[in-house]
Amino acid sequence: MTDQPPHPIPKTVLVVRGGWDGHQPVEATELFIPFLEQNGFTVRVEESPAVYADADAMAEVDLIVQANTMNTIEKEEFEGLRAAVESGTGLAGWHGGIADSYRNNSDYLQMIGGQFASHPGKHPDERTGEQSDNYMPHRIEMTAAAAEHPITQGIADFELVTEQYWVLHDDYNDVLATTTQAVRPWDPWNRPVTSPAIWTRQWGAGRIFVSTPGHRVEILQDTNVRTIIERGLLWAAR
């Protein structure tokens, strides 16, 4: 009798989406669900963070993919999310879906390690009131650590025309890429400002992955952005 190879341990990903529709939370997460299923995940989708307060449900989750912008989170919901991450559940996301999710909770901001502050846009005379007012050409620059990291290995600096996130952050982040906001005559700052664009963070036993590029589906479909996010999801999972 020959030994049979062990069956892979099934993994569960919880997709929590919602908030501001401008970030296309449904369309954006649907873009990555087939990839997760192809990599052995059973996918559960929730349209609010209420599930975070369900300790039994959270105990079965290996990865949380959050796409929930400018929303609120209740105390019990955040405590459940934090407990899951500290116990080893991965947490991953992009753009405002993770870096501008719950402005009402400073403990969430501490756990994530970066909070959206602004996305400076075009000259005031060029603005039309559309999202595109904030679409600016900018460069995503890899750090030295990126060359050897499984999320970014083999990816060089690249250009995007989309929102460029100015992020409030701390030095506990392991930064894989940055972006620098230039000085422009119509803005109040007077020297360039560099923010992390891609980072990871260890919180308890859990891994956190954040990509600030990812405003809408067309940016998520950029080859570099999509590759980084797909790798980041796998890296963060328990």
Side-chain angles (χ1 to χ4, degrees):
M1 181 176 179
T2 59
D3 293 334
Q4 296 295 318
H7 292 289
I9 299 173
K11 291 190 175 185
T12 299
V13 57
L14 172 64
V15 176
V16 175
R17 62 195 186 188
W20 185 55
D21 287 339
H23 283 162
Q24 301 178 303
V26 173
E27 297 88 340
T29 51
E30 292 292 333
L31 187 66
F32 293 99
I33 286 175
F35 170 81
L36 290 163
E37 291 174 337
Q38 291 163 12
N39 280 274
F41 287 91
T42 299
V43 179
R44 174 178 176 176
V45 178
E46 295 289 335
E47 309 295 337
S48 87
V51 65
Y52 293 154
D54 185 339
D56 291 338
M58 296 303 292
E60 300 175 354
V61 175
D62 299 292
L63 173 65
I64 300 161
V65 178
Q66 185 178 263
N68 197 7
T69 304
M70 291 187 290
N71 216 329
T72 58
I73 192 167
E74 299 300 322
K75 180 175 182 289
E76 295 79 9
E77 295 166 357
F78 170 70
E79 289 175 349
L81 170 62
R82 180 172 59 187
V85 173
E86 290 181 357
S87 297
T89 300
L91 175 58
W94 51 86
H95 205 62
I98 192 167
D100 192 21
S101 298
Y102 313 118
R103 299 179 185 180
N104 67 317
N105 191 303
S106 61
D107 290 330
Y108 175 81
L109 307 183
Q110 181 194 27
M111 184 173 72
I112 296 301
Q115 166 62 37
F116 162 78
S118 182
H119 39 50
K122 298 175 181 177
H123 189 282
D125 293 344
E126 299 175 353
R127 298 176 189 177
T128 63
E130 302 296 327
Q131 290 186 39
S132 57
D133 288 350
N134 298 313
Y135 295 177
M136 299 295 295
H138 61 278
R139 190 170 184 82
I140 305 299
E141 298 181 293
M142 298 295 137
T143 65
E148 302 299 327
H149 199 284
I151 294 175
T152 45
Q153 190 172 32
I155 297 178
D157 299 352
F158 59 95
E159 305 283 341
L160 293 173
V161 180
T162 184
E163 291 182 348
Q164 183 185 21
Y165 263 23
W166 181 319
V167 175
L168 307 180
H169 57 98
D170 64 46
D171 64 4
Y172 187 57
N173 291 335
D174 294 319
V175 180
L176 299 177
T178 64
T179 189
T180 299
Q181 177 63 54
V183 177
R184 304 171 310 177
W186 62 91
D187 291 318
W189 54 93
N190 52 33
R191 67 172 185 260
V193 179
T194 298
S195 294
I198 300 157
W199 72 87
T200 65
R201 194 169 174 95
Q202 188 81 29
W203 203 254
R207 290 175 165 184
I208 296 172
F209 161 77
V210 180
S211 167
T212 64
H215 175 61
R216 290 172 65 86
V217 166
E218 61 267 23
I219 298 301
L220 293 167
Q221 290 174 325
D222 174 271
T223 300
N224 289 311
V225 174
R226 185 165 186 166
T227 298
I228 288 168
I229 290 175
E230 288 179 344
R231 291 178 179 179
L233 300 179
L234 298 183
W235 175 88
R238 186 196 307 272

